[in-house]
Amino acid sequence: MDSKLTAYIRLLAAWPGVASRPDRALVEDSLVLLPHLDGVRSLIDVGSGGGMPGLPLALARPDLAVTLLEAEHNKAAFLIHCVATLEVVNVRVVSERAETVAHTSLRESFEVAACRALAALPVLAELCLPFVRIGGRLLALKSGPEPDGGAVGLLGGGPVTVLPAASAARSGGVILAVSKLRPTPDSFPRRPGLPNRRPLHARGGGEDGA
């Protein structure tokens, strides 16, 4: 795994615009999720960007089926290139917006949805939780605790748990963990762009439609 991780870092450095800091510390930051994936067999990385956290996790866990979801075509092309170059057989790349893909057959089909530096909690919850099956979890890598997880309940999630997850890249890093307790209402996520423009609150937020 380590040799492929090194090769992945080299690919990041050679492809402009996919990572602001293509160094080992940044890449290994993704691996703080590993202790939270015991028994997990399927994971979607929402807003994968340069492949983190999904690709390092796939390299560390060849038995884990990983979907990298990335809407920007340049970054998606890089991910496809990485998967082919590194000969990673347990990864697929989907180049589309989360708001669209979450209303396809991929809805509520993953044990874990993961993301790194994606958005504030109300936004990332709307983009990620629709992909998680009942009994699964959302795991979001963040630089520190975030207040107000009230909107998570609208999406079928339970209470937000803040788990310490320091790394060389994020000394105060945490994982925001949310269990999926109920199906996400069909109206979520809303139409593309709306989750970011009008983040959900604890009450209301769905009146704008999908």
Side-chain angles (χ1 to χ4, degrees), residues 1 5 24 26-37 53 55-61 141 167:
M1 185 271 289
L5 198 64
R24 180 169 289 271
L26 185 65
V27 173
E28 289 184 344
D29 179 53
S30 302
L31 301 181
V32 300
L33 288 175
L34 278 177
H36 305 278
L37 298 179
L55 196 46
L57 292 173
L59 293 174
R61 281 276 310 273
L141 287 168
S167 72

CSV table of all heavy atoms in Angstrom, one decimal, residues 1 5 24 26-37 53 55-61 141 167:
chain,number,residue,atom,x,y,z
A,1,MET,N,0.8,-1.2,0.0
A,1,MET,CA,0.0,0.0,0.0
A,1,MET,C,0.9,1.3,0.0
A,1,MET,O,0.6,2.2,-0.7
A,1,MET,CB,-0.9,0.0,1.2
A,1,MET,CG,-1.9,1.1,1.3
A,1,MET,SD,-1.4,2.6,2.1
A,1,MET,CE,-1.4,2.1,3.8
A,5,LEU,N,0.7,4.6,-2.3
A,5,LEU,CA,0.4,5.9,-1.7
A,5,LEU,C,1.4,6.9,-2.2
A,5,LEU,O,1.1,8.0,-2.5
A,5,LEU,CB,0.3,5.8,-0.2
A,5,LEU,CG,-0.3,6.9,0.5
A,5,LEU,CD1,-1.8,6.9,0.2
A,5,LEU,CD2,-0.1,6.7,2.0
A,24,ARG,N,2.6,14.2,1.7
A,24,ARG,CA,2.2,12.9,2.4
A,24,ARG,C,1.3,13.2,3.5
A,24,ARG,O,0.4,12.5,3.8
A,24,ARG,CB,3.5,12.2,2.8
A,24,ARG,CG,3.2,10.8,3.5
A,24,ARG,CD,4.4,10.0,3.7
A,24,ARG,NE,4.8,9.4,2.4
A,24,ARG,CZ,4.4,8.3,1.9
A,24,ARG,NH1,3.5,7.6,2.6
A,24,ARG,NH2,4.8,7.8,0.8
A,26,LEU,N,-0.9,15.5,4.0
A,26,LEU,CA,-2.3,15.8,3.5
A,26,LEU,C,-3.0,14.5,3.1
A,26,LEU,O,-4.1,14.3,3.4
A,26,LEU,CB,-2.3,16.8,2.4
A,26,LEU,CG,-3.6,17.3,1.9
A,26,LEU,CD1,-4.3,18.1,2.9
A,26,LEU,CD2,-3.5,18.1,0.6
A,27,VAL,N,-2.3,13.7,2.4
A,27,VAL,CA,-2.8,12.4,1.9
A,27,VAL,C,-3.1,11.5,3.1
A,27,VAL,O,-4.2,10.8,3.1
A,27,VAL,CB,-1.9,11.8,0.8
A,27,VAL,CG1,-2.4,10.4,0.5
A,27,VAL,CG2,-1.8,12.6,-0.4
A,28,GLU,N,-2.2,11.3,4.0
A,28,GLU,CA,-2.3,10.4,5.1
A,28,GLU,C,-3.4,10.9,6.1
A,28,GLU,O,-3.9,10.1,6.9
A,28,GLU,CB,-1.0,10.2,5.8
A,28,GLU,CG,0.0,9.4,5.0
A,28,GLU,CD,1.3,9.1,5.7
A,28,GLU,OE1,1.6,9.8,6.7
A,28,GLU,OE2,2.0,8.2,5.3
A,29,ASP,N,-3.8,12.2,6.0
A,29,ASP,CA,-4.9,12.7,6.8
A,29,ASP,C,-6.1,11.9,6.6
A,29,ASP,O,-7.0,11.7,7.5
A,29,ASP,CB,-5.1,14.2,6.5
A,29,ASP,CG,-6.2,14.8,7.3
A,29,ASP,OD1,-6.2,14.7,8.5
A,29,ASP,OD2,-7.1,15.4,6.7
A,30,SER,N,-6.3,11.4,5.3
A,30,SER,CA,-7.5,10.6,5.0
A,30,SER,C,-7.6,9.3,5.8
A,30,SER,O,-8.7,8.8,6.1
A,30,SER,CB,-7.5,10.3,3.5
A,30,SER,OG,-7.5,11.5,2.7
A,31,LEU,N,-6.4,8.8,6.2
A,31,LEU,CA,-6.4,7.5,6.8
A,31,LEU,C,-6.9,7.5,8.3
A,31,LEU,O,-7.0,6.4,8.9
A,31,LEU,CB,-5.0,6.9,6.7
A,31,LEU,CG,-4.4,6.8,5.3
A,31,LEU,CD1,-3.0,6.2,5.3
A,31,LEU,CD2,-5.4,5.9,4.4
A,32,VAL,N,-7.1,8.7,8.8
A,32,VAL,CA,-7.7,8.7,10.2
A,32,VAL,C,-9.1,8.1,10.3
A,32,VAL,O,-9.6,7.8,11.3
A,32,VAL,CB,-7.7,10.2,10.8
A,32,VAL,CG1,-6.3,10.8,10.8
A,32,VAL,CG2,-8.7,11.1,10.0
A,33,LEU,N,-9.7,7.9,9.1
A,33,LEU,CA,-11.0,7.3,9.0
A,33,LEU,C,-10.9,5.8,9.2
A,33,LEU,O,-12.0,5.2,9.5
A,33,LEU,CB,-11.7,7.7,7.7
A,33,LEU,CG,-12.2,9.1,7.6
A,33,LEU,CD1,-12.8,9.3,6.2
A,33,LEU,CD2,-13.3,9.4,8.6
A,34,LEU,N,-9.8,5.2,9.0
A,34,LEU,CA,-9.7,3.7,8.9
A,34,LEU,C,-10.2,3.0,10.2
A,34,LEU,O,-11.0,2.1,10.1
A,34,LEU,CB,-8.2,3.3,8.7
A,34,LEU,CG,-7.7,3.3,7.3
A,34,LEU,CD1,-6.2,3.0,7.2
A,34,LEU,CD2,-8.5,2.4,6.4
A,35,PRO,N,-9.9,3.5,11.4
A,35,PRO,CA,-10.4,2.8,12.6
A,35,PRO,C,-12.0,2.9,12.7
A,35,PRO,O,-12.5,2.1,13.5
A,35,PRO,CB,-9.8,3.6,13.8
A,35,PRO,CG,-8.6,4.3,13.2
A,35,PRO,CD,-9.0,4.6,11.8
A,36,HIS,N,-12.6,3.7,11.9
A,36,HIS,CA,-14.1,3.9,12.0
A,36,HIS,C,-14.7,3.1,10.8
A,36,HIS,O,-16.0,3.2,10.7
A,36,HIS,CB,-14.4,5.3,11.9
A,36,HIS,CG,-13.8,6.2,12.9
A,36,HIS,ND1,-14.3,6.3,14.2
A,36,HIS,CD2,-12.6,6.9,12.9
A,36,HIS,CE1,-13.5,7.1,14.9
A,36,HIS,NE2,-12.5,7.5,14.2
A,37,LEU,N,-14.0,2.3,10.1
A,37,LEU,CA,-14.5,1.5,9.0
A,37,LEU,C,-14.5,0.0,9.2
A,37,LEU,O,-14.6,-0.7,8.2
A,37,LEU,CB,-13.7,1.9,7.7
A,37,LEU,CG,-13.8,3.4,7.3
A,37,LEU,CD1,-13.0,3.6,6.0
A,37,LEU,CD2,-15.3,3.8,7.0
A,53,PRO,N,-11.1,11.8,0.9
A,53,PRO,CA,-10.4,10.6,1.5
A,53,PRO,C,-10.5,9.3,0.8
A,53,PRO,O,-9.8,8.3,1.2
A,53,PRO,CB,-11.0,10.5,2.9
A,53,PRO,CG,-12.4,10.9,2.7
A,53,PRO,CD,-12.4,12.0,1.6
A,55,LEU,N,-9.6,7.7,-2.1
A,55,LEU,CA,-8.6,6.9,-2.8
A,55,LEU,C,-7.5,6.4,-1.8
A,55,LEU,O,-7.2,5.2,-1.8
A,55,LEU,CB,-7.9,7.7,-3.8
A,55,LEU,CG,-7.1,7.0,-4.9
A,55,LEU,CD1,-7.8,5.8,-5.4
A,55,LEU,CD2,-6.7,7.9,-6.0
A,56,PRO,N,-7.0,7.1,-0.8
A,56,PRO,CA,-6.1,6.5,0.2
A,56,PRO,C,-6.8,5.4,1.0
A,56,PRO,O,-6.2,4.4,1.3
A,56,PRO,CB,-5.8,7.7,1.1
A,56,PRO,CG,-5.9,8.9,0.2
A,56,PRO,CD,-7.0,8.6,-0.7
A,57,LEU,N,-8.1,5.6,1.3
A,57,LEU,CA,-8.8,4.5,2.0
A,57,LEU,C,-8.9,3.3,1.1
A,57,LEU,O,-8.8,2.1,1.6
A,57,LEU,CB,-10.2,5.0,2.4
A,57,LEU,CG,-10.2,6.1,3.4
A,57,LEU,CD1,-11.7,6.6,3.6
A,57,LEU,CD2,-9.7,5.6,4.8
A,58,ALA,N,-9.1,3.4,-0.2
A,58,ALA,CA,-9.2,2.3,-1.1
A,58,ALA,C,-7.9,1.6,-1.2
A,58,ALA,O,-7.8,0.3,-1.3
A,58,ALA,CB,-9.7,2.7,-2.4
A,59,LEU,N,-6.8,2.3,-1.2
A,59,LEU,CA,-5.5,1.7,-1.2
A,59,LEU,C,-5.2,0.9,0.1
A,59,LEU,O,-4.5,-0.1,0.0
A,59,LEU,CB,-4.4,2.8,-1.5
A,59,LEU,CG,-4.4,3.5,-2.8
A,59,LEU,CD1,-3.4,4.7,-2.8
A,59,LEU,CD2,-4.1,2.5,-3.9
A,60,ALA,N,-5.6,1.5,1.2
A,60,ALA,CA,-5.4,0.8,2.5
A,60,ALA,C,-6.3,-0.4,2.7
A,60,ALA,O,-5.9,-1.3,3.4
A,60,ALA,CB,-5.5,1.8,3.6
A,61,ARG,N,-7.5,-0.3,2.1
A,61,ARG,CA,-8.5,-1.4,2.3
A,61,ARG,C,-8.9,-1.9,0.9
A,61,ARG,O,-10.0,-1.5,0.4
A,61,ARG,CB,-9.7,-0.8,3.0
A,61,ARG,CG,-9.5,-0.7,4.5
A,61,ARG,CD,-9.8,-1.9,5.3
A,61,ARG,NE,-11.1,-2.5,4.9
A,61,ARG,CZ,-12.3,-2.2,5.4
A,61,ARG,NH1,-12.3,-1.3,6.4
A,61,ARG,NH2,-13.4,-2.7,5.0
A,141,LEU,N,-14.6,14.7,7.6
A,141,LEU,CA,-13.4,15.2,8.2
A,141,LEU,C,-13.4,16.7,8.2
A,141,LEU,O,-13.6,17.4,7.2
A,141,LEU,CB,-12.2,14.7,7.3
A,141,LEU,CG,-11.8,13.3,7.4
A,141,LEU,CD1,-10.8,12.9,6.3
A,141,LEU,CD2,-11.2,13.0,8.8
A,167,SER,N,-4.2,14.7,13.0
A,167,SER,CA,-3.2,14.2,12.0
A,167,SER,C,-2.1,15.3,11.9
A,167,SER,O,-2.2,16.4,12.4
A,167,SER,CB,-3.9,13.9,10.7
A,167,SER,OG,-4.2,15.1,10.0
